[in-house]
Amino acid sequence: MAPASFATGFALGFSLILAIGAQNAFVLRQGLMRRHVLAVVLFCALADMLLIVVGVAGISLLIADLASRYAPLLFGFAAIWLAGYGVLRVRSALVASGIGGDNDSESAGLLSTLATVAVLTFGNPHVYLDTVVLIGTVSLQFDGADRVAYGAGAATSSLVFFFSLGYGASLLAPQMKRPNAWRILDMVIALVMFGLAIGMARAGGWLG
């Protein structure tokens, strides 16, 4: 079961983090400029991994008693949350939004760059909702080694994503500037989200 648990964590973590936002756009721009790429991707990956560990380990300790009592509601909440992300990705695909926003920080020094990425990371409330709350809640369906594998999968997805984004930016950016490329990416994310939402609904007994 551990490989399947790892795959579930990886798929969920990767799907959540794939949604283009200010942090990801900043990492992509740093990759294009080839400035402080290693420091930026390491900061983003380690920050995500820390929050994932807090979610997977902390959620189970803080609400272990409530989890068994309200498991159907928790899984239902996770299913609705995931489905909501899927809907947002579908909407994004329909409007063909791309990476936007100007930022002059890619030409700044290392400390200024890290300060900027720290604000973009920890100043976004969705980071906590995605990692601590959502990934932590989904981890409740696993026990022992499976929960560790699930958390490791989610943490690994952050490492893979940010390194791929930062160092693959020069290869990906020209293609991803095309609106159709973003439509395809958003639809793939939406399908993954909907699939995970169905799994959560079944785990909570909402679907037969």
Side-chain angles (χ1 to χ4, degrees):
M1 182 63 182
S5 303
F6 182 93
T8 299
F10 189 93
L12 176 58
F14 206 87
S15 297
L16 289 173
I17 204 171
L18 258 176
I20 294 299
Q23 182 195 47
N24 293 356
F26 182 81
V27 174
L28 182 59
R29 290 167 69 88
Q30 292 298 125
L32 288 170
M33 297 296 296
R34 295 186 175 91
R35 293 180 183 273
H36 314 303
V37 180
L38 179 60
V40 169
V41 298
L42 274 178
F43 182 94
C44 293
L46 291 176
D48 257 23
M49 293 167 74
L50 174 63
L51 293 174
I52 288 169
V53 169
V54 170
V56 173
I59 286 288
S60 61
L61 292 175
L62 292 175
I63 64 173
D65 294 335
L66 295 176
S68 58
R69 187 181 307 174
Y70 298 106
L73 291 178
L74 290 172
F75 287 124
F77 167 77
I80 294 172
W81 197 296
L82 288 166
Y85 267 99
V87 171
L88 289 177
R89 290 302 93 205
V90 171
R91 179 179 179 275
S92 179
L94 294 177
V95 300
S97 60
I99 299 175
D102 293 327
N103 198 316
D104 296 328
S105 298
E106 66 268 11
S107 61
L110 177 59
L111 292 180
S112 297
T113 299
L114 291 179
T116 299
V117 75
V119 171
L120 294 175
T121 300
F122 296 111
N124 180 7
H126 289 291
V127 169
Y128 307 101
L129 296 174
D130 289 348
T131 55
V132 178
V133 178
L134 181 55
I135 292 179
T137 299
V138 174
S139 73
L140 295 175
Q141 67 179 305
F142 302 105
D143 295 311
D146 287 327
R147 181 173 295 178
V148 173
Y150 165 82
T156 301
S157 71
S158 293
L159 196 65
V160 171
F161 174 81
F162 283 115
F163 270 84
S164 298
L165 182 62
Y167 287 100
S170 59
L171 298 175
L172 294 175
Q175 288 75 26
M176 297 310 292
K177 287 179 180 178
R178 304 172 182 173
N180 284 339
W182 291 109
R183 286 194 178 100
I184 293 172
L185 177 61
D186 283 329
M187 289 306 298
V188 170
I189 296 172
L191 290 175
V192 172
M193 292 294 188
F194 291 143
L196 290 170
I198 291 173
M200 290 300 98
R202 285 177 177 169
W206 296 96
L207 297 177

